[in-house]
Amino acid sequence: MVLCSLIFINPAQAQSFGAQSFTLENGMQVVLIPNHRAPVVSHMVWYKSGAADEKRGKSGVAHFLEHLLFTGTDTIEPDSFSKIVKSHGGQDNAFTSQDFTAYYQNIAVEKLPLIMAMEADRMKNLILSEETVTRERQVILEERSERTDNNPSARLGEAVNSALFVNHPYGIPVIGWRHEMEGLTRQDALDFYHANYRPANAILIVAGDIILEELRKLAESYYGVLSNPPETADYQRVWTEPAPLLADQRIVLKDEKVQAPTYRRYYRAPHGSEAAELLSDILGEGTTSRLYRKLVIEMKIATSIGSGYDAVQRGPSSFVLYAVPAPGVAIETVEKALLAEIDEIAANGVTQEELTTSKNRMINSAVYARDSLQYPAMVFGQALTAGFDMDYVEYWTERIENAALEDVNAAARDILGDGKAAITGILLPETQKTTQ
């Protein structure tokens, strides 16, 4: 996540959202993001567990369980959770990442007690039948076929990630490896459920038309009565460290579905770096970025180019540069020019003018996000489950404003400088050749 794409910025105010927080006696954190524009709320429960917390050999179980949580409890009929939400005028969904699993409902504020009761119920009382598990396992396998196995770009991304994060959970796809997904059982899902779905491992975020004291009463009434399984009291997340990247690696994927070749280059990067966010923006954000001006406008060897950096990760992050060659231009030509620009910026840095322009762009691009009901809740959920605190979100603008030129240039040297190994991913049509 790049915070600038989601956060409202008001330079005249230190805090961006005015969010408030308290913690229930059972350890569940509660966050309120006031928004009184309409009598609605976005209610979210974020679990601080995702694909990176799966046991070895059980990849995909976090996402599998996300599907299964919609299947029913003692008080909710099978497959009726979303139907109930919809019948009250709301909408709901869920999503899983490496760091978290989250469930949300957008609904009228007077329906909040109903939603809280339902969400608290499935935190503790999920019922899984073998029939349901078998059915949903087929659903996630079909989802993998559609989104990954039949998508060359996604397959390349999966291969690159495995190489970039060797010996780290981030190297395993969130949806799981197909051969391990095929073996996931009811007991696998229940083991993950009992280990991770508990109030002390969850964050309740409500954005919308409600005040703190009203939310506190509801949260204590519905979530405060839940207990944590005694066996989870000493739970500690344990991740292996990624193995060092000792040399560049090159992954080439050819597929008949590919219409145009694509070049990508991935570096490891630290998480939570505003300097890296600014560096990414300067290099590859929009048609005025340094790479676009050089390779697309001046050299005319690429049709599109960009960069990406995800600051909000619990573990290590990545910094990616990508380009699509212009028709008739060899991918090696684009690669050579791109690497020359990387060497230049690592050696000589960015200019003060580029930094000032980038700061203004990042700030201005998020002006309207505060009006959104759900986006601020998404920002807080991702940040808090990744181990950042409330101030990380509230004062992001201030840190961007205060980032110095040397901070960004140091990030360029640290991430892209000499000796930094990278993973190159190349996507080609079936018949196109490239230097191996």
Side-chain angles (χ1 to χ4, degrees), residues 125-160:
N125 303 311
L126 180 66
I127 293 178
L128 295 181
S129 67
E130 288 291 354
E131 180 183 4
T132 298
V133 168
T134 300
R135 182 195 69 190
E136 289 302 318
R137 186 172 56 227
Q138 187 58 37
V139 170
I140 61 170
L141 286 168
E142 290 172 359
E143 185 176 336
R144 183 182 162 89
S145 295
E146 179 180 348
R147 296 188 179 183
T148 305
D149 298 339
N150 293 319
N151 183 332
S153 179
R155 284 180 9 235
L156 179 64
E158 198 171 81
V160 167

Side-chain angles (χ1 to χ4, degrees), residues 228-240:
N228 295 289
E231 62 272 21
T232 64
D234 299 323
Y235 174 81
Q236 295 288 329
R237 181 181 243 161
V238 179
W239 285 354
T240 53

